[in-house]
Amino acid sequence: MISMTLEEIATVLSGRLVVRGDGAVTDVIDGYVETDSREIVDGGIFVAKPGETTDGHNFVGTALSRGARLAIVEHEVDEEISQVVVADAVAALGALAAHVVASVRARGVLRVVGITGSNGKTTTKNLLAAILSARGETVAPKNSFNNAVGAPTTMLRVTEDTEYLVSEMGASSRGQIARLVAMATPDIGVVLKVGLAHAGGFGGLDHTFTEKSAMVTTLPASAVAVLNRDDERVAAMADLTAARVVWFGLGENAHVRATDVEADRSGTRFTVTVPSGESRTVRFKVLGEHHVSNALAAAAVATELGVPLDCIVAGLESVTRAERWRMEVLGGRDDVTIINDAYNASPDSMAAALKTLALVTPPDGRRVAVLGTMAELGEFAGEEHDRIGLLAVRLRVDRLVVVGADARRLHISAINEGSWDGESVFVETADEAYAYLADELRAGDTVLVKSSNSAGLRHLGDRLGELFSW
């Protein structure tokens, strides 16, 4: 974070400053801001956020013992650490982030990129960070820090020397993206896809469209909106923004496009073409054709930031996986490949992962899909699990293992498809699935493990990867 005195922080937050211990109002703070006391490092700021199961105020002492110099609290805490008392700790976190970003921006160096979409945000963020970090100081989220807490926490890592802030902006309910955009209005706003992820919170695709379009509706004419030409809902956002539109996609009408796409278990190869007319071959190690779209989005942003195409390609090729537990390739012994994609799942990402499984499995190998629930779909859950079950059949998955009661409908839909001669197995737990697969898998199998994070199948994927590691 940029250097600020205790008094300045309190003023920005309209809070009441309580100086404790040997502190003084003129003390300068420039450490990281955290909401998890376990992440505090010396000189940091701890935000005591009330939670669903615990209260951050109970951990102010822990934060102090780890070196925190300031706590942002909703009520004064009996610990020897200076505190700023505010009405809402999360709102204060956002206000501090907005101030810090605006202060650094005023110095004329910082460029802000905002990324949203129902799928692909984290992958695109990682790809773009890999490209930009070779050009200058770049701040990007850890993991999937993209909500009302994670996004401002990332923003607060900018310093006076930061050239690029890549902000992943997600939402599970209405209004969240607009609030994040207001904290740090992007110079370049990216929208990847409008799908049914978090549909239960939004209330359907129309509301999801409205939520995601908040990324571009408030952009000024001086900004750039990078939009997916292949997604009709995203494409419709061009009419809602004053910003200059740059398209990415697979079609000829995209400014940044991919051709000659080929995929196998080692990754994806394609040719990328940018607005100047230059083209290059990309040997992309991230598995799955659907990630080509994310690579194009990153390339489009980098092009707008003046990055040469050779540097863009080098950055894309340096990334070996989308993210931990996202199309992560494991195993290899006995030619058994485990694709662990169980960090998250929506209908779109589940379908894309199954299509990748079908595409990359060698002709003499079996397609094995280990699937768990897709969470947060609300009223759409039943029909979407039905659709995925039928898709598994139509893609000729050889073995389907469905894990957990919330995903059982997927299993029923598959076995009810009369034309299928494959086998679907339902188990209640990941341990049962592991026991079954340890006996069932054979040389040449390609195994997809896919579910929402809540199902916990990512650990099953790790266990299978270890079982078949060299």
Side-chain angles (χ1 to χ4, degrees):
M1 193 182 82
I2 64 174
S3 300
M4 296 178 67
T5 66
L6 293 179
E7 187 174 40
E8 288 172 336
I9 293 171
T11 299
V12 167
L13 302 184
S14 300
R16 176 170 61 89
L17 177 60
V18 179
V19 178
R20 291 280 184 89
D22 57 358
V25 295
T26 56
D27 283 353
V28 174
I29 308 291
D30 61 1
Y32 290 141
V33 181
E34 304 286 358
T35 60
D36 186 337
S37 62
R38 297 167 294 184
E39 299 293 326
I40 289 288
V41 295
D42 194 45
I45 299 174
F46 176 60
V47 180
K49 177 179 71 72
E52 294 180 3
T53 58
T54 188
D55 188 340
H57 294 80
N58 298 331
F59 300 94
V60 172
T62 302
L64 173 62
S65 69
R66 295 185 61 86
R69 295 186 60 199
L70 175 67
I72 296 174
V73 296
E74 294 183 1
H75 58 79
E76 197 170 333
V77 177
D78 187 18
E79 297 285 354
E80 288 303 302
I81 182 174
S82 294
Q83 302 164 40
V84 175
V85 184
V86 297
D88 185 321
V90 174
L93 177 66
L96 186 59
H99 173 82
V100 167
V101 171
S103 297
V104 177
R105 234 179 179 163
R107 295 170 186 148
V109 176
L110 181 66
R111 302 294 300 278
V112 178
V113 180
I115 302 171
T116 196
S118 298
N119 307 108
K121 295 183 293 297
T122 299
T123 302
T124 305
K125 171 262 298 184
N126 288 340
L127 295 171
L128 186 57
I131 296 167
L132 297 180
S133 60
R135 309 283 296 176
E137 182 177 305
T138 301
V139 171
K142 298 184 295 182
N143 302 319
S144 295
F145 280 19
N146 60 27
N147 61 13
V149 174
T153 300
T154 298
M155 295 172 190
L156 285 164
R157 290 181 175 260
V158 302
T159 70
E160 289 86 350
D161 298 321
T162 302
E163 295 185 37
Y164 307 106
L165 167 62
V166 181
S167 185
E168 188 179 333
M169 297 179 177
S172 56
S173 60
R174 300 182 200 181
Q176 292 184 5
I177 290 176
R179 287 191 287 273
L180 296 179
V181 168
M183 291 178 200
T185 301
D187 298 290
I188 302 177
V190 183
V191 186
L192 301 168
K193 191 171 183 63
V194 174
L196 278 172
H198 307 296
F202 294 134
L205 279 172
D206 289 343
H207 293 299
T208 303
F209 170 85
T210 300
E211 179 66 21
K212 300 302 181 185
S213 65
M215 172 61 74
V216 299
T217 52
T218 58
L219 293 182
S222 58
V224 177
V226 174
L227 303 178
N228 184 354
R229 193 67 180 86
D230 298 334
D231 186 305
E232 62 180 13
R233 293 183 179 87
V234 176
M237 295 180 191
D239 296 330
L240 304 179
T241 184
R244 177 168 58 88
V245 173
V246 172
W247 300 110
F248 67 91
L250 300 180
E252 292 185 1
N253 52 2
H255 298 107
V256 177
R257 63 186 183 275
T259 54
D260 305 320
V261 180
E262 299 177 359
D264 58 27
R265 291 196 289 184
S266 67
T268 310
R269 291 170 298 282
F270 62 94
T271 299
V272 60
T273 302
V274 295
S276 66
E278 288 185 278
S279 296
R280 295 288 188 279
T281 298
V282 181
R283 293 169 178 83
F284 195 40
K285 299 180 184 67
V286 178
L287 191 65
E289 283 192 1
H290 55 293
H291 284 307
V292 172
S293 180
N294 301 327
L296 294 176
V301 173
T303 299
E304 288 298 316
L305 292 172
V307 181
L309 183 55
D310 286 338
C311 297
I312 292 172
V313 172
L316 294 176
E317 292 185 341
S318 72
V319 178
T320 59
R321 65 183 183 189
E323 180 63 90
R324 182 85 166 97
W325 300 310
R326 287 179 170 88
M327 299 304 286
E328 185 175 12
V329 179
L330 305 170
R333 181 176 58 81
D334 298 332
D335 196 31
V336 174
T337 297
I338 309 298
I339 304 170
N340 192 353
D341 193 33
Y343 185 83
N344 215 337
S346 68
D348 288 331
S349 69
M350 185 76 85
L354 283 170
K355 290 173 184 176
T356 296
L357 173 67
L359 184 66
V360 305
T361 302
D364 57 349
R366 294 192 305 171
R367 305 165 178 176
V368 180
V370 185
L371 306 182
T373 188
M374 299 179 288
E376 300 182 59
L377 293 178
E379 65 182 288
F380 305 99
E383 64 188 78
E384 291 302 323
H385 282 86
D386 287 345
R387 188 170 69 86
I388 295 301
L390 295 178
L391 180 63
V393 174
R394 290 164 187 167
L395 290 173
R396 299 181 181 178
V397 169
D398 297 289
R399 289 291 181 271
L400 177 63
V401 181
V402 179
V403 186
D406 290 343
R408 187 183 181 93
R409 186 160 167 173
L410 193 160
H411 164 71
I412 298 299
S413 295
I415 62 176
N416 283 342
E417 185 72 3
S419 62
W420 194 36
D421 61 358
E423 180 182 351
S424 181
V425 175
F426 173 77
V427 295
E428 291 282 357
T429 68
D431 286 341
E432 291 177 73
Y434 179 82
Y436 171 79
L437 290 162
D439 288 335
E440 171 66 22
L441 296 180
R442 65 192 190 205
D445 285 350
T446 303
V447 185
L448 169 70
V449 183
K450 178 73 173 171
S451 72
S452 285
N453 195 19
S454 59
L457 296 196
R458 62 195 185 281
H459 304 302
L460 170 62
D462 285 344
R463 291 176 69 190
L464 292 171
E466 184 176 350
L467 179 64
F468 287 96
S469 65
W470 290 101

